[in-house]
């Protein structure tokens, strides 16, 4: 029987899924567990991606998370929507083949706009693959030098396009930074043990991970997150039906992890006083097209100024966004500027500073707080 949920109950379940709190089956021991739980975590901004992991791994530092990426517990590539995500290394290739390739449809048009030919792109992939062969790892600047030496222009956005193209083709992946510079390696060498799935298996696994990490969700939300067609999104959710449950939220059918649907909501509910400091590019907001459960539409402009896809870091209380924050990192500390979006009393402000203190601890720096109102 389909279970009826209020919007508040649906938010409780989303908080449990997204933040891995009080979940009946999720006890993440490290970076690999968190990334596999979600299936993919948006990480085009590396600093945000590192804190998305740190926020779900209490007590870990940025150095701990960086070390885990060096151990290859997760890797970054462009698996869907033309955007960099953290993914389980063994799942990178099937994800690229299922969803990443969809972004190739407009690649020729983009190359024409950039003044690149298809032959230029293929040559760039070939020469970069040869330069990286044998366990090589090159910085972004070194990769661009390889392209230029082969007679392929990299000025403007050409270099970025070529690096993206090589990764979406499954030749390279984004390895951890050297200092502040992005690096690249061959996917087959950085993550040689790839899982092989047929299309239906891949759709089912991706659907389960998305619903498990974000649910309750609709098929349309899954399509938007993954870049799949709505038809394929529905097919994937249907194929994962044995590990999912259907619930109705305000008369709309949604999908949720069966382990959550089978427990009492009181057990899933997090503390109403729970205050969190999340990065801008976090799955808590980016995992959906409809964010009204978590974000008051009146605050949309503050979280995404100009509606340009650049999300501000958020302060979340009881699942709802109540503020945004920015940080300025110096050698001796981090200054955090907080803009409340709702009225916050003194006790709540203290909780906000406590939450942001966990971020400062993650960086290993003392914090100073500036309130804009």
């Amino acid at each position: 029987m389909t279970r009826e949920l209020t919007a508040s109950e649906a938010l409780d379940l989303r908080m449990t899924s997204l933040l891995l709190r009080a979940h009946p089956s999720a006890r993440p021991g490290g970076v690999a567990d968190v990334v596999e739980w979600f299936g993919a975590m948006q990480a085009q901004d590396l600093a945000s991606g590192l804190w998305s992991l740190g926020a779900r791994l209490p007590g870990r530092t940025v150095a701990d998370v960086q070390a885990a990426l060096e151990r290859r517990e997760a890797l970054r590539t462009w698996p869907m929507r033309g955007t960099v995500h953290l993914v389980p290394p063994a799942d990178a290739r099937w994800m690229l083949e299922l969803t990443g390739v969809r972004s190739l449809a407009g690649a020729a048009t983009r190359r024409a706009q950039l003044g690149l030919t298809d032959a230029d792109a293929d040559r760039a992939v070939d020469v970069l693959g040869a330069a990286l062969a044998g366990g090589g790892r090159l910085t972004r600047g070194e990769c661009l030098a390889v392209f230029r030496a082969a007679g392929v222009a990299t000025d403007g956005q050409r270099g970025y396009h070529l690096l993206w193209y090589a990764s979406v083709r499954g030749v390279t992946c984004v390895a951890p930074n050297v200092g502040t510079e992005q690096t690249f390696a061959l996917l087959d060498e950085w993550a040689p043990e790839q899982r092989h799935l047929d299309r239906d298996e891949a759709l089912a696994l991706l659907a389960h991970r998305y619903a498990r990490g974000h649910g309750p969700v609709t098929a349309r939300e899954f399509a938007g997150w993954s870049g799949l067609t709505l038809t394929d999104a529905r097919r994937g959710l249907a194929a994962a039906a044995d590990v999912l449950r259907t619930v109705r939220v305000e008369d709309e059918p949604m999908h949720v992890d069966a382990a959550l649907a089978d427990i009492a909501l009181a057990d899933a509910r997090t503390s109403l006083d729970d205050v969190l400091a999340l990065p801008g590019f976090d799955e808590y907001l980016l995992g959906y097209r409809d964010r009204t459960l978590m974000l008051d539409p009146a605050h949309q402009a503050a979280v995404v100024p100009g509606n340009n896809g650049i999300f501000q870091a958020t302060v979340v209380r009881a699942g709802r966004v109540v503020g945004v924050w920015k940080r300025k990192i110096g050698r001796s500390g981090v200054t955090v500027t907080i803009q409340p979006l709702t009225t916050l009393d003194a006790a709540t402000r203290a909780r906000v500073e406590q939450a942001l203190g966990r971020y400062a601890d993650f960086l290993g720096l003392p914090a100073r707080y500036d309130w804009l109102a």
Side-chain angles (χ1 to χ4, degrees), residues 278-332:
L278 298 178
F281 295 98
D282 189 83
E283 289 295 314
Y284 193 66
L285 288 182
L286 291 180
Y288 310 91
R289 286 186 173 180
D290 181 356
R291 304 180 179 98
T292 52
L293 279 181
M294 299 87 72
L295 177 63
D296 188 325
H299 301 150
Q300 171 78 15
V303 175
V304 195
N307 199 29
N308 59 3
I310 305 299
F311 283 67
Q312 302 300 303
T314 57
V315 177
V316 174
R317 182 185 182 190
R320 300 282 292 178
V321 174
V322 296
V324 295
W325 59 280
K326 295 183 178 180
R327 86 284 190 275
K328 183 177 181 180
I329 300 173
R331 292 183 178 180
S332 59

Side-chain angles (χ1 to χ4, degrees), residues 146-311:
V146 168
F147 296 151
R148 290 193 294 270
V152 181
T154 62
D155 56 314
Q157 292 294 309
R158 293 181 180 91
Y160 179 88
H161 178 85
L162 296 170
L163 291 171
W164 163 83
Y165 182 66
S167 287
V168 177
R169 284 273 306 274
V171 175
T172 62
C173 64
V174 184
N177 282 17
V178 171
T180 60
E181 193 164 6
Q182 197 174 51
T183 71
F184 293 82
L186 290 182
L187 176 59
D188 285 343
E189 293 181 354
W190 190 259
E193 297 181 5
Q194 291 292 310
R195 183 184 303 194
H196 299 286
L197 304 176
D198 65 30
R199 183 172 177 78
D200 283 344
E201 289 173 330
L203 285 170
L205 182 56
L206 192 62
H208 178 218
R209 287 179 174 174
Y210 174 66
R212 179 178 66 181
H214 299 79
V217 291
T218 65
R220 195 170 298 279
E221 296 285 10
F222 177 40
W225 176 81
S226 64
L228 292 167
T229 65
L230 184 56
T231 297
D232 274 343
R234 287 170 172 158
R235 182 176 173 183
L237 289 165
D242 59 332
V243 289
L244 300 178
R245 295 289 184 274
T246 300
V247 296
R248 297 191 73 85
V249 180
E250 297 184 343
D251 208 35
E252 183 171 22
M254 293 187 173
H255 305 272
V256 67
D257 182 35
L260 274 182
D262 290 341
I263 65 171
L265 280 166
D267 294 333
R269 190 167 293 136
T270 56
S271 170
L272 291 179
D273 290 329
D274 202 8
V275 176
L276 301 152
L278 298 178
F281 295 98
D282 189 83
E283 289 295 314
Y284 193 66
L285 288 182
L286 291 180
Y288 310 91
R289 286 186 173 180
D290 181 356
R291 304 180 179 98
T292 52
L293 279 181
M294 299 87 72
L295 177 63
D296 188 325
H299 301 150
Q300 171 78 15
V303 175
V304 195
N307 199 29
N308 59 3
I310 305 299
F311 283 67

